[in-house]
Structures are given as C-alpha cells and as structure tokens.
Amino acid sequence: AIARQLFASQSAADLTIGALLLYPTFAAFAHFFWPEMLHLALWGGALAILVGQRRSPGWLATAGALLGLAVLTRHLLLPFLPIVYIALATEGRKARWRRLAWVAVPIVVLAGTALWLDWRDDGRLRSTSNAGFNLWIGLNDTARRDLEAPIVYEEYLAYLESAETASERDRLLRQRT
C-alpha cells in the first residue's frame, strides 16, 4: 500500500511485496519472529498512516505511538525519524506545528519514559540496543548448525547475573570482547 501510494503504481506495489517475500533475511526473521519484524511492522504501520495522508489528530497520534514503540523495540531506523518530521513540516503551512506535535508527543512519552527510567536506574541515558550481547554470542558460538551446541541461554543468564545495572553489565561485556 505504501509503494502504491508513493509511486501511484500497482506494478511498484507488486515489485515491493515480491522483493520482500523473496529476501531470505526477511523470511528468516519472519519465521523466528525476531524483534526486527516487530520493529518493521511498527514503522510500516506509521508510514502507512503518514503516506496515506491521514492527518486527523487521532491518526497522527497513532503514527507517533507506533514510531515511539518502534524506537523502543530497535534503533535500526532511528536515523530516519527526522525524515518523517521534514516531510510533515514541508507539506503545508496550515497547522504544521500541530501535526508535528501530534506525532512527537507520543514518541517523547513512550521513548522518553524508557530513557528516564534508564537514567533513574543507573545514571545514564543508554540505548536499549542488544548489539554488544549479540556480537559476543556471534563471536563465541562455534556450532555450525542451530541448536547443535546452544550457548545463548547460558550466556544470557551469565550476562544478567554479572552486575546490578544495565550499564555495568554492558561495561563488563565490553571488557570481555
């Protein structure tokens, strides 16, 4: 629907869905329900609302909530968030700031609350990224097949037990790598 709206072409929509379905990584993520799928679904929902020109406060707040939840699940597409604001800011002067606020407030409430809780817990604003842990697992998993000699569960428990705060766990993990 997004490709059809953006390019005004059913062929573009068909090509987009075909490319997604034939992309092996996308199929694997969908099969195992990795957080990337939830992240992409939330971003896709927000984009469908915004590309579909839904500009009522309820739709804009819903798009903002979806983007806020997407930021909490993964930070993968975070650099594209300013593009959303630029697009909203350039589409007409009337009610521009209200449109931006209807999208921004849910993002700030959702993501800002999580950042504040992180700050309260260990005194720093930290990303909820699990990239360091995933890198550690990737570098230390010697099995050639899935479930052959799984280390993820044991390593995750060791990671959680290594320190009281998330920032201290991340610091200890960085020392191990």
Side-chain angles (χ1 to χ4, degrees):
I2 294 169
R4 185 174 35 252
Q5 182 73 25
L6 285 175
F7 300 109
S9 165
Q10 183 59 43
S11 297
D14 294 341
L15 181 63
T16 300
I17 196 68
L20 278 175
L21 291 174
L22 295 175
Y23 182 54
T25 305
F26 187 80
F29 286 168
H31 177 73
F32 293 112
F33 195 68
W34 289 17
E36 287 83 355
M37 292 309 298
L38 177 59
H39 179 75
L40 289 174
L42 292 166
W43 258 95
L47 288 178
I49 290 169
L50 297 173
V51 169
Q53 299 294 318
R54 295 177 178 96
R55 296 297 182 258
S56 71
W59 279 113
L60 291 172
T62 300
L66 291 172
L67 290 170
L69 291 171
V71 167
L72 290 177
T73 59
R74 299 287 294 172
H75 298 293
L76 184 67
L77 297 177
L78 188 59
F80 292 100
L81 206 50
I83 295 170
V84 171
Y85 284 99
I86 291 168
L88 284 172
T90 59
E91 72 173 30
R93 300 187 133 255
K94 187 177 178 185
R96 174 187 317 182
W97 297 112
R98 278 186 289 209
R99 279 194 311 269
L100 292 172
W102 279 110
V103 175
V105 167
I107 294 171
V108 170
V109 167
L110 291 167
T113 301
L115 289 173
W116 179 77
L117 290 172
D118 280 343
W119 177 265
R120 189 189 68 180
D121 288 345
D122 61 11
R124 74 179 187 130
L125 296 175
R126 74 181 212 85
S127 160
T128 57
S129 173
N130 57 357
F133 180 75
N134 287 344
L135 178 62
W136 173 256
I137 294 299
L139 292 173
N140 291 286
D141 189 0
T142 59
R144 297 206 180 265
R145 290 187 237 172
D146 285 343
L147 305 175
E148 187 175 276
I151 67 166
V152 177
Y153 183 69
E154 292 83 15
E155 288 292 331
Y156 183 66
L157 291 178
Y159 170 76
L160 289 178
E161 293 171 1
S162 65
E164 286 282 321
T165 66
S167 60
E168 184 64 17
R169 285 190 295 267
D170 289 345
R171 187 187 65 73
L172 291 171
L173 183 67
R174 279 192 303 276
Q175 286 179 343
R176 290 171 68 183
T177 55

